[in-house]
Amino acid sequence: MTDQPLSESALVWLRYKEVFGGQTTSFRRRRELAAAANKPVTAEELPFGPGRDPLSSGDVLASLFRNNGWDASLAQAEVLERWPEIVGDRVAKHARALYIDKQVLVVQCDSTAWATQLRSLRSTLVAKLAEEIPAADVTDLKLLNPGAPSWRHGKWSTPGRGPRDTYG
């Protein structure tokens, strides 16, 4: 036992455990309880002892994310969420962050000119991302040009190069 006298609530809990704790049907469980009854009660095992204070939900969630390795995924989601704030509204209007794959942020641009301009600013953007959200661990950007129109419509389309004389 501890050096301090037990509180009334701890005594009630120990009595409750003594009265109702031994009613098991398993021989192994009864043997474990008998072995546990012979050892002294430590302060950590008491219901209202030290270290048993309630935690805030934020602390519990932070511990859960850290223990399961979800910190990096949450930081990457934060990059996608805060993209307009990080690069500015004007750039975000023309370049949309899609996803992060193997530390590379994939960004879809709405014109080739914007993709070219952002390629020249790649190192600046990566440095700003590392400064704002270091846990995301973004090391590079992949800037996609806008997609070309597709002439394949319906299930009866045929493979091939498509119309070649249209733009000439």
Side-chain angles (χ1 to χ4, degrees), residues 68-87:
N68 289 316
W70 297 338
D71 286 337
S73 299
L74 287 173
Q76 290 175 355
E78 185 179 359
V79 167
L80 299 178
E81 181 70 27
R82 290 183 49 200
W83 175 253
E85 177 188 329
I86 294 169
V87 297

Side-chain angles (χ1 to χ4, degrees), residues 33-158:
L33 287 173
N38 293 333
K39 73 173 190 156
V41 177
T42 62
E44 289 80 24
E45 293 175 327
L46 291 175
F48 302 104
R52 298 288 304 258
D53 293 331
L55 299 172
S56 69
S57 58
D59 291 341
V60 171
L61 287 175
S63 173
L64 178 71
F65 295 151
R66 188 175 43 257
N67 292 342
N68 289 316
W70 297 338
D71 286 337
S73 299
L74 287 173
Q76 290 175 355
E78 185 179 359
V79 167
L80 299 178
E81 181 70 27
R82 290 183 49 200
W83 175 253
E85 177 188 329
I86 294 169
V87 297
D89 290 333
R90 185 169 181 216
V91 173
K93 195 181 298 183
H94 299 284
R96 185 171 49 104
L98 299 178
Y99 58 91
I100 298 175
D101 183 31
K102 298 176 185 167
Q103 300 176 332
V104 177
L105 175 62
V106 179
V107 178
Q108 176 73 56
C109 300
D110 64 356
S111 71
T112 308
W114 274 100
T116 304
Q117 190 70 2
L118 291 178
R119 280 189 191 99
S120 67
L121 297 171
R122 175 181 282 149
S123 60
T124 307
L125 292 173
V126 170
K128 185 154 185 175
L129 285 169
E131 177 187 329
E132 293 276 333
I133 309 170
D137 199 25
V138 175
T139 58
D140 198 14
L141 291 179
K142 181 177 181 180
L143 298 156
L144 303 176
N145 290 327
S150 174
W151 276 263
R152 293 182 181 214
H153 298 290
K155 65 180 184 176
W156 298 107
S157 65
T158 59

